[in-house]
Each structure stands twice: as structure tokens, then as C-alpha cells.
Amino acid sequence: MILALLPEVGAGTIRLGMSAREAVGAARELGFASSYSPDHDEVPPGQVLCEHDGSGTSLTLGFTKGALTDIHLYRFRVEDADVTVVLDGLDVFRTPSEELLEHLAERGHAVEQNDSGVDTLPELKVILSNESSFEYPMDKEGDPIHFDYVLVTSVDFGPRGD
């Protein structure tokens, strides 16, 4: 499965602005399972967790006023999983994080890095992080090599108070 992150649009066929029914349906078509049932759950959800059994990849769909505003995607837990998540043609979860940020900056994207492991691409409304509790590959210093989380959102980040 190749899942393309489309800033301000969505991820794969999951589109920002979709209803819960539409977004969960699109996630299911991609092979993600969810306990949310739009036919039985009367209250629109705030978030829906979706899991991809074969790879251990998960995503959380975030809704505001019934419309999808956030797609949180978590790195696969099976290292040889047939899952590729791309942003601007770059493999988000297999390219070393520092290298990924360099490539994105070379392509003209503003990159805001910080020491807490949460980096932003503000004009794309994308956040990348590598601070998971899962045991992903680490470098010699014990830091994660790859990003393990990405957020695609329709919400402006606003000015940062650094």
C-alpha cells in the first residue's frame, strides 16, 4: 500500500472535510479496520481510531463539527510491512528523519525543527514526530532514526511562541 500525504487535502483517498461515514469508509477501502459504525453511532465522533492489521499501521481521524480536520498517521510496527507513506515523493517513515527534513527544505518547504522531536512544515499544515514509545530502529545515541508519526490537518498552526 502506498499512501500519499496531500497537504491541505488528505491522505490517499481520505479527504479533509469528509463526514465520519465517508472518511471511515475510505479508510476501510484502504484496509484499515475501525469499531466506529456510522449506522449505529448517532453522535458524530471527535476521533476515530483505525488499524491496519497486516502492518500494525494505525491512523486517527479527527473531526470538528462532523467534518474531518485531522489525519494522524502512525508508523507501521512491522518493519518489513508493505506500507509506504510519501510526502512530496519522499518516504516519510523509511527515510532518516534528518535527511527527510533536508530534502523537504531543498524542495522549498519551510521546516521548523525543535529539540522535542516534533517538527513542522507550517505552510503545508503537516507535523512530523519521532518520539514514540514503540521500539523502532534507533541510532547509536538511542534516538529514533525515522519519523514515526505524521499529522495532516486543515487547521492553521498559527504563530509559534518559541
Side-chain angles (χ1 to χ4, degrees), residues 102-122:
E102 288 173 16
H103 288 309
L104 289 167
E106 288 169 359
R107 292 175 182 199
H109 301 296
V111 175
E112 293 180 1
Q113 291 182 272
N114 68 36
D115 294 332
S116 67
V118 178
D119 302 308
T120 61
L121 304 168

Side-chain angles (χ1 to χ4, degrees), residues 18 32 58 63 76 78 135 147:
M18 285 181 155
F32 288 87
S58 62
F63 299 90
F76 41 85
V78 177
E135 294 186 23
F147 285 112

Side-chain angles (χ1 to χ4, degrees), residues 14 33 35 42 45 50 56 62 66 86 88 92 94-95 98 102-103 105 109 112 123 126 133 136-137 158:
I14 305 168
S35 62
E42 295 177 21
C50 301
V86 295
D88 200 4
V92 172
R94 287 193 175 93
T95 305
E98 288 302 317
E102 288 173 16
H103 288 309
H109 301 296
E112 293 180 1
E123 88 279 3
V126 170
S133 61
Y136 292 123

Side-chain angles (χ1 to χ4, degrees), residues 14 18-28 32-38 41 43-52 57-64 66-74:
I14 305 168
M18 285 181 155
S19 68
R21 175 186 301 276
E22 294 167 326
V24 171
R28 286 187 176 136
F32 288 87
S34 170
S35 62
Y36 174 74
S37 173
D41 297 337
V43 178
Q47 291 188 327
V48 174
L49 176 64
C50 301
E51 300 274 345
H52 190 269
T57 304
S58 62
L59 60 88
T60 301
L61 305 172
F63 299 90
T64 302
L68 182 64
T69 54
D70 303 304
I71 302 169
H72 307 257
L73 186 62
Y74 302 87

